[in-house]
Amino acid sequence: MEEDEEEDYMSDLFVNVRQDVRPGLPMVRRMKEAIQKEGKQKEANERNRQKSIKEEEKERRDLVLKSALGNENKGFALLQKMGYKSGQALGKSGEGIIEPIPLNIKTGRSGLGHEELKKRKAEEKLENYRKKLHMRKQANEQATDQFRLRFKTKQEERKMEGDLRKSQRACQQLDMQKDIDVPKETWYWLEPEEEDQNNENDNEDECTSSDISVSEKLHILTAYLREHHFYCIWCGTTYEDAEDLSSNCPGDSAADHD
């Protein structure tokens, strides 16, 4: 019996009738249909929209400019009477233009020369911006140079203070070898680590009242060592006499020994 026959699950009828029940698929299909409907509605509104006067003028103008000149044009008719043919270049030797000079239609409300003024202002603004960048770069370079100079100065001051302590230590040892118990100046020797409070206050007062810089102290102390002890801190050598010192020592400063 045909009614009792089983359905063929591979038949086209079963495949077409069966619906896809994957989760979320109906929502995606509805979204696609809505987007298509919206696009068609926009196209219909664009076709039915009444164009403005400016748009109509632009369309007519573009249509006329795109079309070639015909015999109804008086200028073209005069050229034809003089032997000109359509598509031929102007000039006796045919080196001129073929198409008419294009029109530069001005649709804005700005006056003549406004575009040039706008361009000039933009160039001035760009030039001012470049100047600011250049000035900022110069300021950064100056700040970097000043930082390097301060860092170098601090390094030189630390080195000079170390040379001064070295000279004070050498002066104290050489003076004591000659049975000198009191330095010529208080700062010629290194200060003792342990002193009474009163002595500390006295030394602070002397340091405060003294306006001699570290470089000046170093120069004075090295000269004292050379004159009285024939000693050069840069060479680290004690010479026999002044003649031996002057003939064998390069100089009385650190630069002379570099």
Side-chain angles (χ1 to χ4, degrees), residues 11-219:
S11 64
D12 294 338
L13 179 62
F14 184 79
V15 172
N16 293 333
V17 172
R18 185 181 179 186
Q19 295 182 355
D20 196 340
V21 293
R22 285 179 292 177
L25 189 62
M27 179 65 70
V28 175
R29 187 181 293 111
R30 285 197 296 270
M31 289 179 64
K32 288 183 178 179
E33 292 175 355
I35 293 173
Q36 292 176 357
K37 185 177 180 181
E38 184 179 358
K40 292 179 180 179
Q41 185 66 33
K42 285 184 178 179
E43 292 177 358
N45 293 338
E46 188 68 23
R47 288 193 301 268
N48 297 330
R49 184 178 65 86
Q50 186 176 0
K51 298 180 180 179
S52 63
I53 297 176
K54 289 185 177 180
E55 290 176 343
E56 292 178 355
E57 290 178 352
K58 185 177 184 302
E59 289 181 357
R60 289 197 299 267
R61 183 170 59 248
D62 293 340
L63 181 62
V64 173
L65 292 175
K66 288 179 181 178
S67 60
L69 296 176
N71 295 329
E72 68 277 1
N73 185 277
K74 294 182 179 182
F76 186 73
L78 289 174
L79 288 174
Q80 283 183 326
K81 288 181 181 180
M82 290 186 290
Y84 176 78
K85 296 180 181 180
S86 179
Q88 182 181 355
L90 296 179
K92 185 177 180 180
S93 58
E95 296 179 353
I97 61 174
I98 299 177
E99 297 295 333
I101 298 174
L103 297 177
N104 185 11
I105 306 299
K106 185 177 182 301
T107 58
R109 300 183 64 183
S110 58
L112 296 176
H114 177 73
E115 293 299 326
E116 292 294 330
L117 178 62
K118 188 177 179 181
K119 182 179 178 181
R120 187 168 65 252
K121 287 184 176 180
E123 291 176 353
E124 291 176 356
K125 186 176 180 180
L126 179 61
E127 185 64 23
N128 293 333
Y129 177 71
R130 288 175 178 172
K131 288 181 179 179
K132 288 181 179 179
L133 287 180
H134 182 66
M135 293 174 62
R136 189 179 302 170
K137 183 180 178 181
Q138 284 185 339
N140 291 336
E141 290 177 353
Q142 290 178 358
T144 304
D145 293 339
Q146 291 177 359
F147 172 77
R148 289 175 180 172
L149 181 61
R150 288 195 300 268
F151 184 74
K152 184 178 179 181
T153 303
K154 287 182 179 179
Q155 283 185 326
E156 292 176 352
E157 289 178 354
R158 292 194 188 108
K159 186 178 182 302
M160 202 174 296
E161 289 174 355
D163 292 337
L164 179 60
R165 288 192 295 270
K166 181 180 176 182
S167 301
Q168 289 172 332
R169 193 178 297 109
C171 180
Q172 185 175 1
Q173 292 176 358
L174 293 172
D175 283 346
M176 293 179 69
Q177 287 177 6
K178 291 185 177 182
D179 297 330
I180 299 175
D181 297 332
V182 179
K184 185 177 180 181
E185 297 289 342
T186 55
W187 54 268
Y188 273 32
W189 291 6
L190 286 173
E191 296 181 1
E193 297 180 358
E194 295 181 0
E195 287 185 312
D196 296 335
Q197 186 67 26
N198 294 332
N199 293 335
E200 290 183 358
N201 294 335
D202 294 340
N203 290 333
E204 290 178 359
D205 293 339
E206 289 180 3
C207 293
T208 305
S209 60
S210 177
D211 295 332
I212 304 176
S213 63
V214 176
S215 60
E216 291 174 342
K217 287 182 179 181
L218 181 61
H219 179 71

Side-chain angles (χ1 to χ4, degrees), residues 216-250:
E216 291 174 342
K217 287 182 179 181
L218 181 61
H219 179 71
I220 294 171
L221 189 54
T222 51
Y224 172 81
L225 291 172
R226 293 173 68 88
E227 293 175 3
H228 292 79
H229 300 289
F230 310 115
Y231 177 77
C232 176
I233 64 167
W234 318 116
C235 300
T237 305
T238 302
Y239 296 91
E240 295 181 358
D241 51 24
E243 184 179 356
D244 185 24
L245 176 64
S246 60
S247 60
N248 295 317
C249 182

